[in-house]
């Protein structure tokens, strides 16, 4: 069990650019979640997958955001035309069925 | 929708003091309740959980009891250590998709 891995740890981008983050869940975990955390706040749910199927998307996830989980393994979160308000920590978590979520260390995005 | 309200911080304590962090929730159905902890520079880690009314979760000297009548899940530790300095998040998950709803977090600093 190597834990949930996220890449990159930090990303600085200019407004209007596209960015993509990757999450590798714990092997054999069938559920994968994306959260966003801003300073002084708790994580906010964005979306989740069961295997390769995206089952729910939060209203926080605008049309500029897209997530995929091909083959039910790793997942990517892409943000198009980034805005300064997208600056946050993006967290990935995985679980097996109803077991507690295991979180990665996150990707910190700064949009300048 | 489901929500969690937890005591605002920051909280500063001396070593060996008693710690309590209040958490109340609003949910339909029968949620599971969690405390997650985030140590400086690290990702979110599950501290303890309770899945039904009157259950007590415990770990590392911390305890919390699921109180349905008061919709609360307060975190307590009888004697804190400097190493307990961290941000503590109360969270709940519903019984259907297990995604977590978090409180805003409480920053705890323990001084020697």
């Amino acid at each position: 069990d190597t834990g949930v891995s996220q890449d990159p740890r930090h990303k600085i981008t200019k407004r209007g650019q596209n960015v993509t983050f990757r999450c590798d869940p714990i092997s054999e975990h069938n559920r994968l979640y994306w959260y966003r955390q801003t300073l002084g706040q708790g994580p906010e749910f964005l979306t989740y997958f069961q295997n390769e199927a995206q089952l729910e998307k939060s209203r926080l996830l605008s049309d500029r955001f897209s997530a995929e989980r091909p083959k039910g393994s790793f997942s990517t979160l892409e943000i198009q035309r980034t805005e300064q308000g997208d600056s946050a920590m993006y967290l990935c978590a995985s679980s097996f069925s109803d077991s507690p979520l295991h979180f990665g260390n996150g990707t910190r995005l700064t949009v300048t | 929708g489901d929500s969690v309200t937890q005591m605002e911080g920051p909280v500063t304590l001396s070593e060996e003091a008693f710690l309590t962090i209040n958490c109340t929730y609003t949910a339909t159905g029968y949620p599971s309740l969690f405390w997650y902890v985030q140590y400086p520079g690290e990702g979110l880690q599950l501290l303890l959980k309770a899945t039904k009314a009157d259950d007590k979760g415990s770990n590392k000297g911390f305890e919390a009891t699921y109180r349905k009548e008061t919709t609360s899940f307060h975190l307590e530790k009888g004697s804190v250590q400097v190493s307990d300095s961290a941000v503590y998040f109360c969270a709940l998950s519903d019984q259907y998709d297990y995604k977590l709803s978090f409180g805003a977090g409480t920053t705890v600093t323990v001084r020697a």
Side-chain angles (χ1 to χ4, degrees), chain B residues 9-15 17-19 80 107-111:
Chain B
V11 175
T12 302
L13 302 164
S14 297
E15 214 166 18
F18 181 85
L19 170 67
V80 293
T107 300
V108 173
T109 302
V110 180
R111 296 189 170 160

Side-chain angles (χ1 to χ4, degrees), chain A residues 38-101:
Chain A
T38 53
L39 197 62
Q41 299 297 317
E44 296 174 297
F45 170 77
L46 293 179
T47 187
Y48 91 98
F49 294 82
Q50 180 160 307
N51 300 312
E52 66 276 9
Q54 188 174 17
L55 297 188
E56 186 174 344
K57 294 194 293 185
S58 163
R59 55 182 170 77
L60 293 175
L61 215 63
S62 76
D63 291 344
R64 296 183 296 105
F65 288 70
S66 62
E68 295 182 344
R69 192 184 183 196
K71 303 177 184 178
S73 56
F74 72 91
S75 176
T76 58
L77 178 67
E78 180 182 17
I79 309 174
Q80 295 183 329
R81 304 180 302 283
T82 52
E83 301 173 355
Q84 287 189 320
D86 297 331
S87 295
M89 178 74 85
Y90 289 84
L91 300 172
C92 178
S94 70
S95 70
F96 181 74
S97 294
D98 62 349
S99 67
L101 273 61

Side-chain angles (χ1 to χ4, degrees), chain B residues 5-7 19-25 33 35 48 57 62-67 70-77 90:
Chain B
T5 302
Q6 67 180 95
M7 185 175 86
L19 170 67
T20 183
I21 304 176
N22 290 340
C23 172
T24 58
Y25 67 90
L33 301 174
W35 279 98
L48 53 82
F62 289 89
E63 293 184 339
T65 301
Y66 189 142
R67 301 287 189 198
T70 55
T71 62
S72 65
F73 193 54
H74 305 322
L75 182 68
E76 296 181 336
K77 185 171 185 180
C90 185

Side-chain angles (χ1 to χ4, degrees), chain B residues 5-111:
Chain B
T5 302
Q6 67 180 95
M7 185 175 86
E8 292 186 12
V11 175
T12 302
L13 302 164
S14 297
E15 214 166 18
E16 299 183 3
F18 181 85
L19 170 67
T20 183
I21 304 176
N22 290 340
C23 172
T24 58
Y25 67 90
T26 302
T28 55
Y30 304 95
S32 294
L33 301 174
F34 304 83
W35 279 98
Y36 277 79
V37 59
Q38 190 168 33
Y39 298 104
E42 298 184 16
L44 282 165
Q45 301 174 25
L46 177 66
L47 180 59
L48 53 82
K49 68 172 184 175
T51 58
K52 61 183 187 295
D54 300 324
D55 266 3
K56 178 186 285 187
S58 61
N59 186 26
K60 299 183 180 180
F62 289 89
E63 293 184 339
T65 301
Y66 189 142
R67 301 287 189 198
K68 191 169 176 62
E69 64 275 14
T70 55
T71 62
S72 65
F73 193 54
H74 305 322
L75 182 68
E76 296 181 336
K77 185 171 185 180
S79 177
V80 293
Q81 305 300 313
V82 172
S83 58
D84 294 324
S85 297
V87 183
Y88 293 83
F89 294 92
C90 185
L92 68 80
S93 73
D94 68 30
Q95 60 198 105
Y96 303 109
D97 55 27
Y98 311 110
K99 68 178 188 286
L100 292 170
S101 298
F102 285 88
T106 302
T107 300
V108 173
T109 302
V110 180
R111 296 189 170 160

